[in-house]
């Protein structure tokens, strides 16, 4: 019950199958890494879970703590406790980070209740300090003109402010230098706990040196082809994705 | 500013579409009937007990109105749908504007209470005039301002009691012949505000007028003339609403501003007309030496709005500014812009226009900047930005900047942006509903402009945008 559970998920874009009988269960308290070459459907998976409307789900189920979220609106899925850290966070001109996160938190309150502004700013500043984000950023437009690293730190800031039950991080490490990688990883590690599950999507093992996963999955051609412990990431790094292709490529269907 | 004060203000200022959508049964003592003729004008003039010269002014304007063609060669052909013969040009309960809300007739009082006007007056206004159809029902200004010689009255009272002050400027900034609708207004004008601020008097709080249309098939033609004497300063706010009727309603105002040497006028419009209103307004200012005129103009609602506030920069170092926001939702056309006429050296003008088109809504920007060759060190900055929400929206920009000579500088920037589906998805992933996400994007788009607005106004505007966006999500 206390898990993000994806069963036999089939997803297509314009009749092109992307996810094929995909299965994955992330129990609360665990960190799962999902690795694999480009074009195997990792980002599609992230967006489908978050409720993006561009994808056609032909069959399967996605449940969050036993409740189906498949077919729900993205805001409902967010409210149910799922957070997606975007691979390419979008720029929202004129909307400050502080106002955006505040609106997001406000949307979680019952109607008629207002967020306590003093407590909100206290929490925001603490979490910004932890992620080494300059406090001046609160008034900057969300992601506008941010460097790659600043965008990713801002995603982790939003994630820690919204306190989701399940976090999907889509290539949060891409575009990060080593210092930013450490800061982001610390931020994620601080959030780890028995009440939260993580799915970390990445190409590279180096992020997993800082966020040690409980389980590593290898994805290829729309499904998970191999799973193991943290050691598997090192193995992949050493052997390369060609090894995955050679070992797990499905026989060509004529 | 702290959050608690923000919330208080949000509560205190409540003008929204739904709130404005009600009307009371008609009970008028004076009704000019339907259609427009010399007799209509004679009737209006006699009800108002006007001086002969005012009546002559009206009759001359009527001739001009009848002669002038509709400006459909450049403007929307929707103008053809106005049937002047079906409009009622004057409706009044025969009341004199009351000085206390208690004296205002119950239905009228309730109207303005539901629109939050008395409450705003208590909180932050120096004076209020509330117009119900053709005439003001309530008019009051703080006593200390009266002692300082500030005049804040309706157009009839202004022309009757203070002709020496108002007559020299009346119809001079905007002649009746300026355009078909200024001619129409000059023929049938009623209500509006006539304001005079004496030399050196600086008003700390705004004066406000609220224009309410209650009757169907009605035309509201208020006339406003504001004179800021040398070194005087004032802020004037106007708000407008009307109920939703099946048939077209016409609102056609003329607003003339005169800022004498070193004076400052800030004129703020909060307009939230219902979808059946043709809103065709002429607004222009004269700015003398080192004077400053700022038009802050926000157009939400209406079927068709055509409005291009202007400043004629007559004296050296005069400054003119138009900051405008237009929001065109389904079935609406916002045709707005600005006019800057530089007539002296070292004059500067600034135009910032932001338009938002939603669904089938359409926004048009028309700008005119005129800088003759013989002038030196004049500057104009024009920025127009358009935001499109969904692919059916339409936006056009027609900037006309005439600069001659090389001793002047102009700068023009325009942009068109869209709220993408991915941006909406991103915001929704954080928990915002589709309406909230769009509203946030629109607020972000106008945010830098809102910062230039007075607090009370920007809070209200945000509310109006939120309402409008909520309604636009299907």
């Amino acid at each position: 019950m206390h898990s993000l559970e994806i069963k036999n998920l089939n997803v297509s874009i314009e009749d092109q199958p992307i996810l094929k009988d995909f299965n994955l269960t992330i129990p609360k308290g665990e960190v799962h890494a999902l690795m694999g070459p480009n074009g195997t459907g990792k980002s599609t998976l992230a967006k489908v879970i978050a409720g993006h409307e561009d994808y056609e789900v032909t069959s399967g189920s996605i449940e969050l703590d036993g409740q189906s979220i498949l077919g729900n609106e993205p805001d409902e899925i967010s409210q149910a406790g799922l957070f997606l850290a975007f691979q390419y966070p979008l720029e929202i001109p004129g909307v400050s980070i502080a106002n955006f996160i505040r609106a997001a938190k406000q949307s979680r309150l019952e109607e008629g209740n207002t967020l306590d502004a003093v407590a909100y700013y206290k929490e925001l500043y603490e979490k910004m300090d932890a992620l080494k984000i300059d406090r001046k950023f609160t008034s900057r437009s969300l992601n506008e003109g941010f460097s790659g690293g600043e965008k990713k730190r801002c995603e982790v800031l939003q994630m820690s402010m919204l306190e989701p039950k399940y976090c999907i991080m889509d290539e949060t490490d891409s575009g990060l230098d080593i210092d930013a990688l450490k800061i982001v990883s610390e931020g994620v590690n601080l959030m780890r706990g028995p009440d939260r599950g993580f799915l970390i999507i990445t190409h590279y093992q180096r992020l997993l040196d800082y966020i040690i996963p409980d389980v590593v999955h290898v994805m290829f051609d729309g499904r998970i082809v191999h799973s193991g412990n943290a050691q598997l990431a090192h193995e992949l790094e050493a052997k390369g994705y060609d090894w995955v292709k050679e070992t797990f490529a499905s026989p060509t269907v004529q | 500013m702290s959050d608690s004060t923000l919330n208080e203000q949000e509560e205190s200022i409540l003008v929204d579409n739904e709130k404005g959508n009600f009307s009371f049964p008609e009970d008028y003592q004076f009704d000019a009937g339907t259609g427009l003729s010399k007799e209509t004008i004679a009737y209006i003039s006699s009800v108002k007990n006007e001086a002969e010269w005012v009546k002559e002014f009206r009759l001359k304007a009527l001739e001009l109105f009848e002669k002038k063609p509709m400006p459909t060669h450049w403007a929307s052909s929707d103008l053809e749908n106005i049937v002047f013969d079906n409009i009622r040009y004057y409706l009044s309960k025969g009341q004199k504007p009351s000085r206390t809300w208690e004296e205002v007739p119950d239905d009228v009082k309730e109207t303005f209470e539901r629109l939050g006007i008395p409450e705003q007056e208590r909180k932050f206004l120096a004076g209020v005039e509330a117009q119900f159809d053709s005439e003001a029902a309530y008019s009051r200004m703080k006593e200390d301002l009266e002692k300082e010689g500030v005049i804040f009255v309706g157009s009839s009272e202004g022309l009757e009691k203070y002709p020496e002050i108002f007559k020299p400027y009346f119809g001079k900034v905007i002649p009746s012949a300026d355009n078909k609708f200024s001619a129409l207004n000059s023929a049938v004008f009623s209500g509006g505000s006539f304001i005079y601020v004496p030399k050196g008097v600086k008003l700390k709080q705004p004066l406000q007028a609220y224009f309410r249309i209650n009757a169907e098939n009605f035309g509201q033609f208020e006339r406003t003339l504001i004179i800021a004497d040398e070194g005087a300063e004032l802020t004037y706010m106007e708000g407008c609403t009307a109920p939703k009727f099946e048939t077209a309603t016409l609102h056609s105002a003329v607003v003339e501003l005169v800022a004498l040497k070193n004076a400052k006028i800030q004129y703020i419009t909060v307009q939230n007309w219902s979808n059946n209103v043709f809103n065709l307004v002429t607004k222009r200012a004269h700015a003398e030496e080192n004077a400053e005129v700022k038009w802050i103009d926000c157009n939400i609602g209406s079927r068709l709005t055509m409005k291009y506030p202007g400043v004629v920069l007559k004296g050296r170092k005069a400054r003119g500014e138009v900051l405008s926001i237009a929001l065109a939702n389904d079935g609406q056309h916002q045709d707005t812009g600005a006019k800057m006429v530089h007539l002296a050296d070292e004059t500067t003008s600034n135009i910032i226009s932001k338009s938002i088109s939603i669904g089938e809504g359409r926004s048009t920007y028309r700008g005119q900047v005129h800088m003759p060759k013989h002038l030196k060190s004049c500057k104009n900055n024009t920025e127009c930005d358009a935001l499109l929400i969904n692919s059916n929206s339409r936006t056009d920009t027609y900037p006309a900047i005439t600069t001659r000579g090389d001793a002047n500088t102009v700068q023009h920037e325009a942009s068109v942006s869209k709220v993408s589906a991915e941006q909406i998805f991103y915001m929704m992933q954080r928990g915002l509903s589709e309406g909230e996400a769009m509203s946030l994007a629109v607020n972000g788009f106008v945010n830098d402009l809102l910062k230039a607005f007075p607090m009370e106004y920007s809070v209200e505007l945000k509310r109006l945008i939120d309402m409008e966006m909520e309604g636009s999500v299907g």
Side-chain angles (χ1 to χ4, degrees), chain A residues 78 83-84 86 89-108 115 120-121 124 137-144 146 151 154-159 161-162, chain B residues 422-434 436-441 443-444 447 462:
Chain A
S78 168
F83 185 94
L84 169 62
F86 281 54
L90 286 110
E91 299 186 358
I92 314 291
V95 178
S96 70
I97 290 185
N99 281 344
F100 182 67
I101 299 177
R102 188 172 162 166
K105 278 182 92 84
Q106 177 70 42
S107 72
R108 285 162 168 74
L115 203 66
Y120 167 71
Y121 273 100
L124 182 66
F137 265 67
T138 47
S139 56
R140 284 193 48 181
S141 289
L142 187 62
N143 296 323
E144 198 181 34
F146 286 20
K151 282 183 181 170
C154 181
E155 291 292 285
V156 177
L157 174 68
Q158 293 175 49
M159 189 167 87
M161 288 297 288
L162 297 177
Chain B
E422 287 304 306
Q423 283 171 310
I424 298 293
F425 174 66
Y426 182 68
M427 291 187 272
M428 289 178 79
Q429 208 298 306
R430 301 308 186 238
L432 303 176
S433 68
E434 192 179 358
E436 287 168 338
M438 291 212 286
S439 192
L440 208 58
N443 271 305
N447 192 32
K462 277 188 179 181

Side-chain angles (χ1 to χ4, degrees), chain B residues 110-136:
Chain B
E110 199 187 323
T111 297
F112 289 112
E113 268 173 0
R114 284 172 71 167
L115 296 166
I117 309 303
E119 202 180 346
Q120 290 179 33
E121 181 186 11
R122 282 195 300 278
K123 287 201 170 156
F124 65 88
L125 298 171
V128 171
E129 184 179 82
Q131 180 166 339
F132 192 81
D133 293 331
S134 294
E135 296 288 358

Side-chain angles (χ1 to χ4, degrees), chain B residues 54-276:
Chain B
V54 182
K55 189 177 169 186
E56 286 304 314
F57 176 90
R58 289 181 184 277
L59 288 169
K60 234 171 128 182
L62 177 66
E63 273 176 41
L64 287 164
F65 168 72
E66 283 166 348
K67 261 189 241 157
K68 280 191 175 285
M70 277 288 192
T72 40
H73 58 289
W74 59 271
S76 166
S77 57
D78 194 20
L79 287 171
E80 302 290 356
N81 294 316
I82 303 173
V83 184
F84 291 102
D85 287 342
N86 289 350
I87 291 171
R88 298 194 281 174
Y89 289 84
Y90 184 86
L91 288 172
S92 124
K93 291 175 182 287
Q95 80 276 21
K96 286 265 170 216
S98 306
R99 302 284 162 188
T100 67
W101 284 105
E102 285 72 40
E103 296 167 57
V104 174
D106 284 346
D107 54 346
V108 179
K109 187 170 78 178
E110 199 187 323
T111 297
F112 289 112
E113 268 173 0
R114 284 172 71 167
L115 296 166
I117 309 303
E119 202 180 346
Q120 290 179 33
E121 181 186 11
R122 282 195 300 278
K123 287 201 170 156
F124 65 88
L125 298 171
V128 171
E129 184 179 82
Q131 180 166 339
F132 192 81
D133 293 331
S134 294
E135 296 288 358
Y138 174 85
S139 175
R140 206 180 81 96
M141 182 173 63
K142 287 190 171 165
E143 278 164 17
D144 51 328
L145 294 180
E146 260 170 68
K147 281 180 197 148
E148 288 194 79
V150 177
I151 299 168
F152 179 35
V153 294
S155 54
S156 300
E157 196 181 340
L159 291 175
E160 188 196 331
K161 284 194 189 159
Y162 312 98
E164 72 289 356
I165 291 176
F166 293 114
K167 198 178 167 185
Y169 294 103
F170 177 69
K172 298 296 192 299
V173 182
I174 302 170
S176 305
D178 189 80
N179 64 72
K180 190 169 179 76
F181 293 95
S182 63
L184 175 63
N185 175 283
S186 301
V188 296
F189 72 92
S190 181
S193 308
F194 272 39
I195 297 172
Y196 171 76
V197 183
K199 268 185 196 172
V201 174
K202 296 177 164 78
L203 268 56
K204 288 183 190 72
Q205 290 176 303
L207 296 171
Q208 188 180 36
Y210 201 91
F211 299 99
R212 172 69 180 174
I213 292 176
N214 186 63
E216 198 164 359
N217 291 325
F218 175 68
Q220 192 171 50
F221 306 96
E222 85 269 11
R223 181 102 192 178
T224 290
L225 172 58
I226 299 176
I227 301 163
D229 210 329
E230 293 185 5
E233 291 179 14
L234 84 148
T235 294
Y236 177 86
M237 294 172 63
E238 62 170 353
C240 323
T241 57
K244 288 173 193 156
F245 287 126
E246 290 301 309
T247 54
T249 302
L250 177 59
H251 174 255
S252 188
V254 165
V255 177
E256 299 175 288
L257 309 184
V258 179
L260 297 179
K261 192 177 170 184
N262 298 327
K264 282 186 185 173
I265 302 177
Q266 182 165 249
Y267 191 105
I268 302 172
T269 305
V270 188
Q271 197 165 270
N272 187 26
W273 292 116
S274 50
N275 280 358
N276 54 310

Side-chain angles (χ1 to χ4, degrees), chain B residues 166-411:
Chain B
F166 293 114
K167 198 178 167 185
Y169 294 103
F170 177 69
K172 298 296 192 299
V173 182
I174 302 170
S176 305
D178 189 80
N179 64 72
K180 190 169 179 76
F181 293 95
S182 63
L184 175 63
N185 175 283
S186 301
V188 296
F189 72 92
S190 181
S193 308
F194 272 39
I195 297 172
Y196 171 76
V197 183
K199 268 185 196 172
V201 174
K202 296 177 164 78
L203 268 56
K204 288 183 190 72
Q205 290 176 303
L207 296 171
Q208 188 180 36
Y210 201 91
F211 299 99
R212 172 69 180 174
I213 292 176
N214 186 63
E216 198 164 359
N217 291 325
F218 175 68
Q220 192 171 50
F221 306 96
E222 85 269 11
R223 181 102 192 178
T224 290
L225 172 58
I226 299 176
I227 301 163
D229 210 329
E230 293 185 5
E233 291 179 14
L234 84 148
T235 294
Y236 177 86
M237 294 172 63
E238 62 170 353
C240 323
T241 57
K244 288 173 193 156
F245 287 126
E246 290 301 309
T247 54
T249 302
L250 177 59
H251 174 255
S252 188
V254 165
V255 177
E256 299 175 288
L257 309 184
V258 179
L260 297 179
K261 192 177 170 184
N262 298 327
K264 282 186 185 173
I265 302 177
Q266 182 165 249
Y267 191 105
I268 302 172
T269 305
V270 188
Q271 197 165 270
N272 187 26
W273 292 116
S274 50
N275 280 358
N276 54 310
V277 176
F278 282 95
N279 182 45
L280 312 164
V281 173
T282 311
K283 288 179 162 169
R284 198 170 304 147
H286 279 179
E288 299 289 349
E289 187 181 334
N290 200 39
E292 183 181 294
V293 174
K294 191 189 271 192
W295 295 100
I296 293 181
D297 203 50
C298 172
N299 300 295
I300 294 179
S302 84
R303 169 170 168 174
L304 170 66
T305 287
M306 287 173 63
K307 195 191 328 165
Y308 323 95
V311 184
V312 181
L313 301 149
K314 296 177 77 179
R316 207 175 60 91
K317 289 194 170 180
R319 300 174 298 280
E321 194 163 17
V322 174
L323 307 178
S324 70
I325 293 175
L327 203 158
N329 219 326
D330 275 342
Q332 300 174 348
H333 183 181
Q334 304 285 2
D335 194 326
T336 60
K339 244 182 214 178
M340 293 291 176
V341 182
H342 292 252
L343 294 181
D345 290 341
E346 296 175 74
T347 47
T348 54
S349 60
N350 185 32
I351 300 168
I352 302 178
S353 156
K354 301 232 180 198
S355 71
I356 301 133
S357 310
I358 308 158
E360 307 276 339
R362 183 175 166 196
S363 303
T364 306
Y365 168 82
R366 289 177 212 274
Q368 217 176 67
V369 177
H370 179 72
M371 261 181 215
K373 192 176 177 177
H374 65 276
L375 297 183
K376 285 185 199 72
S377 303
C378 296
K379 277 184 197 148
N380 165 262
N381 175 55
T382 301
E383 291 169 37
C384 28
D385 300 320
L387 184 71
L388 303 180
I389 299 181
N390 98 34
S391 53
N392 298 329
S393 305
R394 172 167 175 187
T395 183
D396 310 285
T397 304
Y398 306 100
I401 300 178
T402 331
T403 12
R404 300 214 162 75
D406 46 16
N408 302 313
T409 50
V410 284
Q411 199 175 308

